[in-house]
Amino acid sequence: MAVRKKGAEAPAVIQAARPLRIVTWNINSVRLRLPLLADLVAALSPDVICLQETKCPDEHFPHEGVEALGFAHRAIRGMKGYNGVAILSKLPFATRDGADPDWCGKGDCRHLAVEIDAPGGAVELHDFYIPAGGDIPDREKNIKFAHKLDFVAEATAWSAQRKAAGGFRRAVLVGDLNIAPLEHDVWSHKQLLDVVSHTPIETAALTAMMAAGEWHDALRHFVPADQKLYTWWSYRAADWRASDRGRRLDHMWVSPDLAGGLRSHTVLKDARGWEKASDHVPVLIEVAT
């Protein structure tokens, strides 16, 4: 993992009483969509941005462009062509090198964790990119699907271990988890039951991961489970807005002690219509720390 930070040269400009504003976004190539980061910042004014699918080796990460947007502190873990995660912050942070697993022993740039110097004290922040799983929902016929299930199983065991050791405290987990677990997280529950991302084995696995860590679903904190909620719309749709066949693949979870501090959320749906848009849209939570 590579880290860039300015320290005293670029002090945080956040007010002590202001809630922390965290965004997660599968950007689908940070270099290709660097101009859209400026649009995101203008729309949401985040303090921290967690990116997935950066598709960029560390040595080619666009540090100058990101720093120009006010994010002096950066942690990146990338590779050529696919995967990759990054955390961009206006606030200083400490990295957690060696504190968390190498998922499935692959070293494939799907997780970053830092401790943010937030207004109310340090916040442990995890940025995940769970494997998509391919097209066939059968672990015997599809190694990508097997990898996805194994990844979630490892993350569930990790969450359970943390719970046994005292639980997550002042923690946030975000990212493209590539599973829409609830009935109204997809445009048609019945039609997608055999489609990767909403199959029963996946939804049960993600639900178990959440329960193992006693995570609180920050988006469903604001949007009841009986209401539709999407963060992704396929490139295959001729008119994504008219068809509105979305899925909630991007998630934001908080530890129980932060749940009472949740103040607001935003799903920036209009970003799906930006020029050269990602198929995912940025999602924000605002939480008092």
Side-chain angles (χ1 to χ4, degrees):
M1 177 181 65
V3 176
R4 291 283 188 91
K5 51 186 177 180
K6 292 293 186 178
E9 297 178 16
V13 293
I14 216 168
Q15 297 293 325
R18 180 186 172 193
L20 185 65
R21 297 174 65 84
I22 304 173
V23 164
T24 184
W25 188 26
N26 178 320
I27 195 170
N28 193 12
S29 177
V30 66
R31 287 183 289 177
L32 177 63
R33 295 184 171 83
L34 180 61
L36 300 187
L37 270 178
D39 296 331
L40 182 159
V41 172
L44 298 178
S45 187
D47 304 309
V48 183
I49 301 174
C50 296
L51 300 176
Q52 304 88 41
E53 207 172 354
T54 54
K55 297 182 177 179
C56 178
D58 291 350
E59 62 270 23
H60 297 310
F61 191 85
H63 286 287
E64 291 185 3
V66 170
E67 186 160 339
L69 297 174
F71 296 89
H73 309 272
R74 301 177 293 281
I76 60 174
R77 179 172 285 142
M79 57 200 301
K80 184 178 180 179
Y82 58 100
N83 299 344
V85 285
I87 297 176
L88 321 175
S89 179
K90 294 179 179 178
L91 295 166
F93 56 67
T95 60
R96 290 173 52 86
D97 285 343
D100 301 303
D102 173 16
W103 306 101
C104 299
K106 290 182 176 290
D108 58 357
C109 304
R110 292 185 176 275
H111 175 229
L112 266 178
V114 301
E115 292 187 359
I116 299 285
D117 186 11
V123 170
E124 180 182 337
L125 175 62
H126 293 269
D127 180 11
F128 272 93
Y129 178 40
I130 288 178
D135 295 325
I136 303 171
D138 184 324
R139 71 156 48 246
E140 303 302 324
K141 298 178 181 178
N142 178 5
I143 61 172
K144 292 182 179 179
F145 194 69
H147 179 209
K148 181 178 193 174
L149 297 180
D150 291 345
F151 190 109
V152 177
E154 285 193 8
T156 302
W158 165 76
S159 293
Q161 290 169 1
R162 287 291 301 268
K163 180 180 178 180
F168 289 100
R169 296 291 182 267
R170 297 180 57 77
V172 179
L173 185 155
V174 308
D176 177 4
L177 305 188
N178 263 315
I179 299 171
L182 303 181
E183 178 177 346
H184 294 286
D185 287 341
V186 295
W187 64 273
S188 174
H189 171 64
K190 291 182 179 180
Q191 293 183 68
L192 294 181
L193 279 173
D194 61 353
V195 174
V196 173
S197 79
H198 192 61
T199 63
I201 192 172
E202 293 171 272
T203 61
L206 193 68
T207 300
M209 176 182 166
M210 178 183 289
E214 297 186 318
W215 293 105
H216 182 76
D217 188 338
L219 299 184
R220 285 300 182 185
H221 179 91
F222 298 104
V223 183
D226 62 355
Q227 296 182 18
K228 294 293 187 183
L229 179 61
Y230 312 144
T231 64
W232 173 92
W233 290 263
S234 174
Y235 285 132
R236 297 175 183 176
D239 187 335
W240 68 273
R241 191 182 291 273
S243 63
D244 200 25
R245 295 189 171 190
R247 306 179 203 174
R248 181 172 71 121
L249 303 182
D250 305 274
H251 296 264
M252 307 190 82
W253 300 348
V254 300
S255 55
D257 54 346
L258 289 182
L262 288 166
R263 296 290 180 263
S264 70
H265 87 292
T266 303
V267 176
L268 193 60
K269 184 174 180 178
D270 285 348
R272 183 60 182 82
W274 289 345
E275 186 176 357
K276 296 183 179 178
S278 171
D279 46 0
H280 297 253
V281 299
V283 183
L284 174 142
I285 58 169
E286 190 175 40
V287 57
T289 62

